[in-house]
Amino acid sequence: MNELIQESKVAAFVEHLPQTMLAIDKELVSKAIATIKTTDFPTTRTEAWKYTRLARIAAISTANQTAREGKNLSREDIHSSYQITKDGLTFVFENGVFRSDLSSGEFPAGATIKPLTGCTKEELAIVGKSLTLENEVFNAMNTAYAVDGMYISIQDKAIIDAPIQLIHLITGKNTVSNLRNIIQIGKFAKAEIMQSYFALDAEASFTNVVTEVIVAENAHLTINKLQYEEEGNYHISTEQVDQAKDSTFTINTMSLNGTLVRNNLNIEVNGVNCMTNLHGAYVLKSNQHVDNHTIVDHKQPHCESNELYKGVMDEKSTGVFNGKVFVRKDAQKINAFQSNGNVLLSDDASINSKPELEIYADDVKCSHGSTTGQLDEEAVFYLRARGISEKSARHLMVSAFIEDVVTKIENEAFLNYTHSLLKERFGWDF
Amino acid sequence: MITIKNLHASIDGKEILKGLNLEVKAGEVHAIMGPNGAGKSTLASVLAGREEYEITEGSVDFDGQDLLELSTEDRAREGLFLAFQYPIEIPGVSNINFLRTSLNEIRDYKGEEQISAKDFMALVREKSALVELDAKLASRSVNEGFSGGEKKRNEIFQMAMLNPKLSILDETDSGLDIDALRIVANGVNKLKSPENATIVITHYQRLLDYIVPDVVHVLYNGKIVKSGPKELALELEEKGYDWIKAEVDAQ
């Protein structure tokens, strides 16, 4: 047979990446590879990627991914620079590879926490169960080329008080990290997970992380996510969440650094009486681009979702917010609130904001709104008339604006750490 | 304290101040009265450094410094205080945080040390009592959800905190009921000293029953057209401004 296959750009991109060694379903991997062969990087003609250009990711020269040496780091380095709190467990990954030498902590009772490379086929049977591959090249790439990631399974009724910290470091030039996390919270269980992303001497590197989350009946999960990979690096993150009845899921996404950041939050609310909270802050400068795409799909009645995203854009940075809330036909008595606020600090900064509601039920309470503005110049003058410099006056107002969503973070250590990064990068005091 | 000579200022090409002269010495209270549109608020804005106004002629000497050369914040740091006619609401910025930043930037400018948290809170307690401002308001967002009276009391509270050399009260009495007016005036009187001075810009004579001026000026058509003792205010209250307009227009 004489086949003429025109390979996609994605196929060329992954050519040098080693196929996943994880014990995941072979058929799933084959399906992912097939998707990659026939699908190209999305362009701005694709609605979901209308405002986010991926050319710079596609242009990464991906040869020489193998045999990289890990950075010479100690636990002390992790502790002093990246660890958000000393409490709980800390797991460190470098370019998607688990670094047991840098990870530490006492394993709590009632939880199985280990890297995916150490998981059995049975444990990983859940992988890809509700993740779309078709037309989703980054999901497909992650499935076919995942190096490692964290497997967190909390037993029924287990309450894990101390946070589980996952620290992801990228290092080196043109590094591609496909990272896959599995999080299962058992019935009546409770846990808090911190995911933080940093760059260490990295350049033109790309992180593609997929986290699959199952929150069982009456379980509580909070994810605090911090994106602080340096400028010049690219990051795409997808959270696929399945909520069972009476459960609570909260995610706080702080995007403070990185040249291109895209977050896909797909929350399927599959049970009654659920609570879903999505909060996000993006504070950008230079040429940064941060795109938050969220979907909350209310399939069952008597649920509540609260979504608040706020952004501050300076210099030539750009932001995208696209929040979609679905309320299905039988999902009555839903309270869904969605709000996006933006402040543009320069004439060259911009935001594309699109809050969307699709409601098929008739007894619901939903609202959505989006605001974009500049700082109130009258207020700046008022502060200056009290002896405050123009710079501090603007900082005072911008930090007050963003603090509204940053303080949704309940974990004090994570909140303080976020504040310290805002101080480091923007010079703001809180 | 302040010497204004032949001040001309315009906005959007329209001249509002047309050669204004005024001198205020330390320890004095001056009232500036005048009909609507005379340029009273423009004078306050120009002195505070609003950039929309263009100064086309004249000079302002503030305690030996060329005021017009200073930025808004430096004017405040040198001891000029404007109590706003319409205080601005700033959501999310707490009154306390705002005032601490303000005090510390002024101290920094003067090469002084930052105020300690303890001393700052003691100062807040002392000065908020002066204008009977509820301590709870002090910790709320700047002016957000304040009543008209509370906003004006907050202005005088800030004035008390910053202890300026020259205070300009821009229509501080407008919209105040008699109790609030008394509280505000009381606050201003208590802050009076031989080292500082006050310019009271007002429409009504009523405030001047409580804050007694040393000199009353009438501002009309961008100039001070008449100055006199405190009794001039009473005369204006009784006779209105028409006789002054007629007097000026006849010249």
Side-chain angles (χ1 to χ4, degrees):
Chain A
M1 214 158 45
N2 203 356
E3 262 186 319
L4 185 69
I5 299 172
Q6 194 187 2
E7 291 224 315
S8 68
K9 272 190 201 156
V10 184
F13 186 87
V14 298
E15 197 188 335
H16 301 284
L17 304 183
Q19 227 181 70
T20 185
M21 303 289 278
L22 303 176
I24 55 177
D25 185 15
K26 295 271 184 300
E27 261 181 57
L28 184 73
V29 175
S30 309
K31 204 178 146 198
I33 290 172
T35 303
I36 290 166
K37 284 196 171 144
T38 54
T39 319
D40 226 327
F41 284 112
T43 66
T44 53
R45 288 185 298 279
T46 312
E47 182 60 26
W49 293 90
K50 197 171 172 184
Y51 303 106
T52 298
R53 292 175 188 279
L54 297 169
R56 278 185 291 187
I57 293 178
I60 294 174
S61 130
T62 55
N64 288 327
Q65 292 295 316
T66 48
R68 279 181 192 271
E69 294 225 341
K71 275 258 172 201
N72 189 8
L73 287 167
S74 66
R75 280 190 187 155
E76 190 42 51
D77 296 328
I78 297 297
H79 173 67
S80 61
S81 303
Y82 306 111
Q83 202 171 13
I84 291 164
T85 167
K86 274 196 254 178
D87 296 337
L89 291 160
T90 303
F91 297 98
V92 181
F93 290 81
E94 180 183 354
N95 299 330
V97 178
F98 182 57
R99 290 278 306 254
S100 61
D101 60 320
L102 302 178
S103 303
S104 59
E106 294 263 322
F107 280 83
T112 307
I113 306 174
K114 55 185 177 183
L116 257 60
T117 41
C119 289
T120 62
K121 205 171 172 216
E122 289 68 39
E123 283 168 323
L124 298 186
I126 171 188
V127 168
K129 277 280 170 273
S130 52
L131 191 77
T132 310
L133 294 183
E134 205 183 329
N135 288 324
E136 295 288 346
V137 283
F138 296 106
N139 289 350
M141 190 192 296
N142 187 283
T143 304
Y145 299 97
V147 174
D148 207 345
M150 214 63 217
Y151 175 84
I152 299 170
S153 180
I154 310 295
Q155 286 169 21
D156 292 353
K157 297 181 191 164
I159 307 293
I160 311 297
D161 286 323
I164 300 162
Q165 290 182 72
L166 310 182
I167 298 172
H168 301 279
L169 297 173
I170 51 166
T171 62
K173 196 176 176 185
N174 296 327
T175 316
V176 176
S177 310
N178 282 294
L179 196 78
R180 186 73 162 237
N181 298 309
I182 301 293
I183 300 169
Q184 293 187 87
I185 312 297
K187 293 177 184 172
F188 302 93
K190 189 178 177 189
E192 180 180 351
I193 295 168
M194 296 176 180
Q195 296 189 54
S196 50
Y197 299 88
F198 298 98
L200 185 60
D201 304 324
E203 189 187 332
S205 287
F206 172 48
T207 304
N208 180 28
V209 51
V210 172
T211 303
E212 290 174 271
V213 181
I214 294 175
V215 190
E217 182 184 339
N218 213 23
H220 286 69
L221 173 66
T222 299
I223 296 179
N224 286 317
K225 202 164 113 177
L226 182 64
Q227 294 166 316
Y228 204 76
E229 287 162 347
E230 271 152 33
E231 288 183 35
N233 298 295
Y234 316 103
H235 180 109
I236 295 181
S237 165
T238 303
E239 263 87 14
Q240 184 70 40
V241 182
D242 171 356
Q243 268 188 276
K245 69 173 180 180
D246 304 318
S247 66
T248 301
F249 174 72
T250 301
I251 184 162
N252 300 309
T253 306
M254 303 291 127
S255 310
L256 309 180
N257 206 342
T259 284
L260 187 156
V261 176
R262 162 75 172 230
N263 293 304
N264 301 303
L265 294 188
N266 303 322
I267 321 290
E268 289 189 35
V269 189
N270 289 314
V272 296
N273 198 32
C274 287
M275 173 68 113
T276 309
N277 301 306
L278 314 180
H279 308 130
Y282 40 103
V283 184
L284 318 178
K285 61 179 182 180
S286 65
N287 288 309
Q288 272 189 278
H289 177 87
V290 171
D291 178 347
N292 282 295
H293 263 66
T294 67
I295 297 173
V296 179
D297 194 349
H298 285 291
K299 295 178 173 175
Q300 296 288 332
H302 298 285
C303 292
E304 184 175 327
S305 64
N306 296 298
E307 182 167 9
L308 175 65
Y309 273 75
K310 281 189 152 191
V312 178
M313 278 132 291
D314 200 356
E315 298 170 0
K316 289 183 173 169
S317 63
T318 48
V320 179
F321 174 79
N322 190 322
K324 230 179 212 175
V325 175
F326 290 101
V327 181
R328 303 292 172 183
K329 193 163 161 267
D330 298 321
Q332 303 293 1
K333 307 281 182 191
I334 295 291
N335 289 337
F337 307 104
Q338 189 190 57
S339 161
N340 174 228
N342 300 286
V343 168
L344 301 177
L345 296 179
S346 98
D347 291 342
D348 296 323
S350 68
I351 172 81
N352 287 291
S353 176
K354 191 175 176 191
E356 293 179 86
L357 280 175
E358 276 190 35
I359 303 172
Y360 301 97
D362 53 17
D363 185 12
V364 299
K365 217 191 271 176
C366 296
S367 70
H368 65 167
S370 168
T371 59
T372 297
Q374 288 162 329
L375 288 185
D376 179 357
E377 290 301 322
E378 277 296 304
V380 173
F381 179 76
Y382 187 77
L383 295 174
R384 291 177 64 199
R386 298 297 177 254
I388 298 174
S389 72
E390 182 165 357
K391 197 173 157 217
S392 328
R394 290 183 188 279
H395 281 173
L396 210 56
M397 290 175 62
V398 167
S399 49
F401 172 80
I402 206 76
E403 192 65 347
D404 187 29
V405 62
V406 172
T407 50
K408 297 280 183 191
I409 299 168
E410 285 176 4
N411 184 299
E412 206 179 323
F414 193 87
L415 177 65
N416 290 342
Y417 195 84
T418 303
H419 281 162
S420 71
L421 292 184
L422 284 167
K423 166 102 178 150
E424 174 184 296
R425 188 159 161 78
F426 303 96
W428 297 348
D429 271 318
F430 289 87
Chain B
M1 179 75 69
I2 193 164
T3 309
I4 304 173
K5 280 187 187 151
N6 191 31
L7 188 64
H8 289 253
S10 51
I11 187 163
D12 299 331
K14 191 175 176 239
E15 191 169 58
I16 310 285
L17 299 183
K18 302 169 181 173
L20 186 139
N21 295 296
L22 180 68
E23 185 174 10
V24 180
K25 292 195 174 72
E28 291 180 347
V29 175
H30 286 229
I32 296 180
M33 302 184 72
N36 282 329
K40 302 192 297 294
S41 283
T42 296
L43 175 63
S45 295
V46 165
L47 294 180
R50 262 193 205 277
E51 280 148 16
E52 303 90 284
Y53 292 92
E54 195 193 344
I55 315 295
T56 50
E57 227 185 307
S59 67
V60 180
D61 178 281
F62 179 52
D63 229 10
Q65 291 230 47
D66 182 354
L67 187 80
L68 301 177
E69 284 301 307
L70 299 176
S71 65
T72 294
E73 48 269 40
D74 283 350
R75 294 179 195 198
R77 291 163 179 173
E78 288 290 341
L80 182 115
F81 182 92
L82 170 66
F84 281 57
Q85 182 177 3
Y86 306 109
I88 313 293
E89 297 190 10
I90 312 180
V93 176
S94 80
N95 241 339
I96 290 292
N97 192 12
F98 153 55
L99 275 172
R100 192 186 297 122
T101 310
S102 170
L103 260 180
N104 280 332
E105 290 211 14
I106 292 171
R107 286 183 169 225
D108 191 45
Y109 179 81
K110 292 178 178 166
E112 295 169 5
E113 271 188 31
Q114 306 261 298
I115 189 166
S116 74
K118 189 167 154 273
D119 291 350
F120 177 75
M121 288 320 292
L123 196 65
V124 167
R125 266 193 301 278
E126 182 198 331
K127 303 300 183 186
S128 57
L130 198 72
V131 284
E132 301 172 34
L133 193 72
D134 194 322
K136 272 187 236 131
L137 290 181
S139 57
R140 289 227 313 250
S141 286
V142 179
N143 293 323
E144 195 185 32
F146 285 28
S147 70
E150 285 167 347
K151 282 181 183 168
K152 295 298 174 79
R153 268 147 66 189
N154 197 22
E155 292 295 288
I156 306 305
F157 167 57
Q158 292 171 30
M159 175 176 149
M161 289 292 291
L162 303 183
N163 191 25
K165 284 192 276 192
L166 175 67
S167 301
I168 302 164
L169 311 184
D170 187 9
E171 308 259 4
T172 296
D173 52 334
S174 63
L176 291 188
D177 63 34
I178 194 72
D179 292 328
L181 185 75
R182 206 177 288 138
I183 292 167
V184 163
N186 236 327
V188 173
N189 287 332
K190 280 184 193 156
L191 294 172
K192 212 177 131 179
S193 83
E195 284 82 44
N196 63 27
T198 311
I199 297 175
V200 182
I201 293 174
T202 181
H203 218 76
Y204 308 106
Q205 180 271 335
R206 187 178 64 154
L207 178 65
L208 305 180
D209 284 341
Y210 299 95
I211 304 173
V212 181
D214 298 297
V215 188
V216 174
H217 304 276
V218 179
L219 180 59
Y220 172 61
N221 201 14
K223 285 183 196 172
I224 302 282
V225 293
K226 198 172 187 69
S227 301
K230 63 177 191 280
E231 289 76 17
L232 177 60
L234 289 167
E235 198 179 350
L236 290 167
E237 179 79 359
E238 199 181 307
K239 293 160 62 181
Y241 292 103
D242 286 350
W243 63 283
I244 290 188
K245 289 182 193 173
E247 228 177 75
V248 173
D249 295 341
Q251 281 168 12

